Amino acid sequence: MEVAVIHTQGIDVEPIIGLEVHVQLHTRTKLWCGCPVEFGSAPNQHTCPVCLGLPGALPVLNHRAVELAVRTSLALGCTVARQMGWERKHYFYPDLPRNYQISQYARPLAQAGLFEFPHEGRIARIRIQRTHLEDDAGKHLVGDDGQTLIDLNRAGAPLLEIVTEPDFNTPDMACEFAVQLQRLVRYLGTSTANMQHGQLRFEPNINLRVWHDGVPLRTPIVEVKNLNSFRSLHAAIAFEINRQATEWQQTREVATDDNKRNRGWDDERLETVPQREKESARDYRFFPEPDLVPLKLSNLWLRDLHEHMPELPIPRSARVVHEFKVTPANAARLVDDRPTADLLDHAGEAGGDKPTLAKQFLGIWARHAKQRRTSIARLGISPGRLAELANLVASGQLNATAATRVAEAMLTGHTSPRELAAQLHLLQVDDEQQIAAWLDAVLAEHAQAVHDARQAGKKARAARGFLLGQVMQTSAGRANPQTVGRLLDERLRPEA
Ligand code: ZN
Ligand code: MN
């Protein structure tokens, strides 16, 4: 990995950052029972003997969750196991009614992936150590009166845990990965990844490489638990880098096998705070889940999932830059929402001029979507009509301002853009008689400019430009500028 030394708190440090991500998979029901996965229901509505951990209740695997986990892992470049097992991971906490989580420890779903994304003008390469399936815990809240409240609607919801290698060295880089990962799972349809609903949660592992008498050493690893916004992810990592640099100078404590620590994030004080000491693997007393058989995946099924993988956002952005002639930043905006990116492609396939389509998607259509708090795809305009509007502009029959008015009219009804432009008298006028009439009116009104334009040099060019502009204005931008220019030059020629 590349070295990135920064100077903070008076010393040189090299941040070493890894991420653990929990992605809630977009299934209808929970991982081990038929209870619905639903956010925002009344507390404890979606529970049954299985997810309440009642004695004798047996888990039954949700195969849809396996499929979504496999698709996500394949998109992250991982090798998916043909056979995997389940383990019980024990800990005692009020939101975990069974007192153990069913997870994958020794034989995870997938391993050894690689996720590449553009970052600060280069390609960041983050190795994925492993992904595994597990169930979520419930929610543990403290009521106004200090009472402990438990809501088990979420208990048993399917999670995909993604563990990266410690390949990040800045908060920016970790955040960009998080943004790209959210976009990826939404593209795949494997998670809605709504952070406000806790469907995408991050736990960065952070420590520093520091130098003591020229010898590289590492500060103890801190895991910041359960961050559910990009902002807090960024802030927590940045805070830890500074805090560990300061702590190092006071304690000279280095990382050992048993001094990894958990900290929480205080969103009001904007700092990390100590939490319970992190359990080591031994404390969790992992053992094979006796109520479940190992899971075998067929090669045929895996190949089928692989072949039906959609074009992923990052390669798609690169293609859009090339085909639609836009900047990488604009390409990222265009592909962000998959249905909208599909619509853009379909409008291109319908014969629309691609650079103009891209401009209109980024401008006119993005504005209308934003006003309606929706996506461009959901404005409900067909690819054919989008293509036609783009081509009216690309061919010079409609100017950009007029296109805005036609677009407005396109949002109600199904009239073609060309017809709308005609009805609104917005199509470009190439009728010489009409243009000559506008031109003569302008020339009569601006005798001084006409005089100046007939001289030579800079002043004459400025006067010509002024007259041309006046004609365009008189025609409300509709006159064909080439025809105006030609007729104007004819009239400015010295009288024979
Ligand atoms: Zn249940
Ligand atoms: Mn986990």
Side-chain angles (χ1 to χ4, degrees), residues 30 33-35 46-52 155:
K30 294 184 181 180
C33 62
C35 294
H46 304 310
T47 55
C48 72
V50 175
C51 55
L52 289 175

Side-chain angles (χ1 to χ4, degrees), residues 347-410:
E349 284 156 21
D353 179 73
K354 288 181 177 177
T356 312
L357 274 170
K359 256 184 230 143
Q360 293 181 343
F361 267 60
L362 291 162
I364 304 173
W365 298 124
R367 270 199 306 281
H368 282 301
K370 196 174 169 197
Q371 274 165 17
R372 289 164 178 74
R373 294 165 180 271
T374 184
S375 65
I376 296 175
R378 282 170 180 257
L379 291 173
I381 301 172
S382 72
R385 295 172 81 218
L386 291 166
E388 194 179 319
L389 180 70
N391 288 345
L392 285 172
V393 173
S395 63
Q397 297 173 74
L398 203 62
N399 66 39
T401 324
T404 310
R405 291 186 52 200
V406 174
E408 188 101 43
M410 283 167 73

